[in-house]
Amino acid sequence: MPFNIIIVGAGLIGPRHAQTVQANPSTHLLALIDPSPSAAQTAATLQTLYFPSLDALLASPSIPRPDAAIVCTPNHTHIPLATTLLSNNIHVLLEKPISDDPSTARALLSTLTPTSPKLLIGHHRRFNPYITATKQLLTTNALGPIIALNGLWTLYKPDTYFAPPGDWRRSTETGGGVLAINLIHDIDLLHYLFGPITRVFAEQTAPTRPSPPHAAEEGAAITLRFASGVVGTFLVCDATPSPWSFEAGTGENPLIPQVQGEGAEGFYRIFGQRGSLSVPDMRRWSYEGRAERSWSEELVVERREVDRTSPTPFALQLAHFVEVIQGKVEPVCTGEEALRALLVVEAIGRALRTGQVVDVEG
Ligand SMILES: NC(=O)c1ccc[n+]([C@@H]2O[C@H](COP(=O)([O-])OP(=O)(O)OC[C@H]3O[C@@H](n4cnc5c(N)ncnc54)[C@H](O)[C@@H]3O)[C@@H](O)[C@H]2O)c1
Ligand SMILES: *C1O[C@H](CO)[C@@H](O)[C@H](O)[C@H]1NC(C)=O
């Protein structure tokens, strides 16, 4: 029997999750939940049941019990909704960020036990084929022990992106700013690849947009220290035309054209004792096969193929969620890891404002 899945939140991303559920033979789309007037129509289009609230669904005697929920609502509702679902013994795939406030996330996580229903956080880029290929190279020690990394997330957002209804993006008070909107994805990937970040520093880029109305940071040069001893530098900026970002490099977001060929290399560069790797071109540089490991030798470059025909990261994430529910695997992105990404982004924001080095809270 397929698992009965409900989707909570039918805005931009909810219907995409719904279609993914319908395409997976192990899952059945049971219902869509959203108070907005247009959501009933969305549910009708998807040929699924509609409820205006989670409480209305839970109170309904006539529908089968949901096995799991995918929560894709505004950030401040993530923890209250996940708490209700988990306490009703419903597994949860919760969109990122885990919350808009670390303290509410901590409160929920402290109540979970090994017998609680499962909680997976939707940092779906962990399922991107370029990232899984990178993870596999690191896991098989293809670069030797890792020394350092360098990352870029640089591109140009037009004025229309900040115009109503997107004007919340102009201020950090309303969830705007390139750190909260974009960098959190890279931070989660860096955690996935290199483990927890423990210390950060950041210098802000000079503003290019008029203030007012713009009040959010546009970019920063950041240093990162990882618990493993790995160190990193990261440049983030949403005010420069550039091909170096996860989106332009991987083509994952259909709204941002993929940069192919020349120029696409190196939104991440990873440096190990045996070799270095550039992502997404996946060139690995080493002295393997040369007389010695020495700067006087010619570097050997190999290119690792990435299977771009694999299912979408959303589909892979859902397939993973099914295995988590079945108890076959542990969540690839736990609540603790998602909280960690939020804490690192907050620490970078504090470093920007104070000019101080910031230790990430445990
Ligand atoms: N993984 C990703 O790359 C990615 C991409 C986009 C959005 N997201 C995340 O998904 C979440 C939703 O983003 P979005 O762009 O779809 O937002 P959105 O504003 O387009 O949609 C949110 C929907 O939730 C509904 N809603 C609000 N409160 C609700 C409640 N209590 N119960 C049920 N429905 C409720 C709203 O009516 C709205 O339709 C955000 O947390 C965002 O960070 C993640
Ligand atoms: C929460 O939600 C939006 C997307 O809807 C996201 O871009 C924003 O930066 C978020 N983060 C926080 C911490 O508020």
Side-chain angles (χ1 to χ4, degrees), residues 75 97 100 168 175 180-181 342:
N75 302 339
D100 60 343
W168 60 270
I181 298 179
L342 191 61

Side-chain angles (χ1 to χ4, degrees), residues 154-155 240-250 259 262-265 267 280:
T154 46
L155 44 59
T240 177
S242 135
W244 300 295
S245 66
F246 175 91
E247 285 88 332
T250 66
V259 177
E262 288 296 308
E265 72 278 358
F267 67 72

Side-chain angles (χ1 to χ4, degrees), residues 7-17 33-39 51-54 71-78 81 94-97 122-125 168-169 185 252 314 317:
I7 305 274
V8 189
L12 233 53
I13 214 80
R16 267 185 62 199
H17 281 295
I33 297 161
D34 193 311
S36 92
S38 61
F51 292 88
S53 71
L54 179 58
V71 177
C72 22
T73 54
N75 302 339
H76 68 277
T77 67
H78 284 187
L81 286 167
L94 176 60
E95 262 299 349
K96 51 61 55 183
H123 279 287
H124 70 273
R125 291 186 189 182
W168 60 270
R169 297 175 172 130
H185 291 285
E252 183 179 302
F314 261 39
Q317 176 175 259

Side-chain angles (χ1 to χ4, degrees), residues 144-174:
I146 302 304
I147 300 168
L149 65 99
N150 168 230
L152 293 168
W153 193 89
T154 46
L155 44 59
Y156 186 81
K157 294 174 180 170
D159 288 346
T160 49
Y161 175 86
F162 298 99
D167 46 343
W168 60 270
R169 297 175 172 130
R170 294 176 187 159
S171 167
T172 52
E173 304 282 305
T174 46

Side-chain angles (χ1 to χ4, degrees), residues 181-245:
I181 298 179
N182 308 106
L183 186 70
I184 192 162
H185 291 285
D186 286 290
I187 295 298
D188 179 65
L189 292 181
L190 296 181
H191 280 163
Y192 182 49
L193 297 172
F194 307 106
I197 293 167
T198 57
R199 190 163 72 193
V200 300
F201 181 64
E203 294 280 8
Q204 191 161 343
T205 59
T208 65
R209 301 188 178 101
S211 171
H214 290 275
E217 79 286 342
E218 296 174 8
I222 301 160
T223 68
L224 304 166
R225 179 171 191 84
F226 293 76
S228 64
V230 170
V231 294
T233 60
F234 205 104
L235 194 68
V236 59
C237 180
D238 68 8
T240 177
S242 135
W244 300 295
S245 66

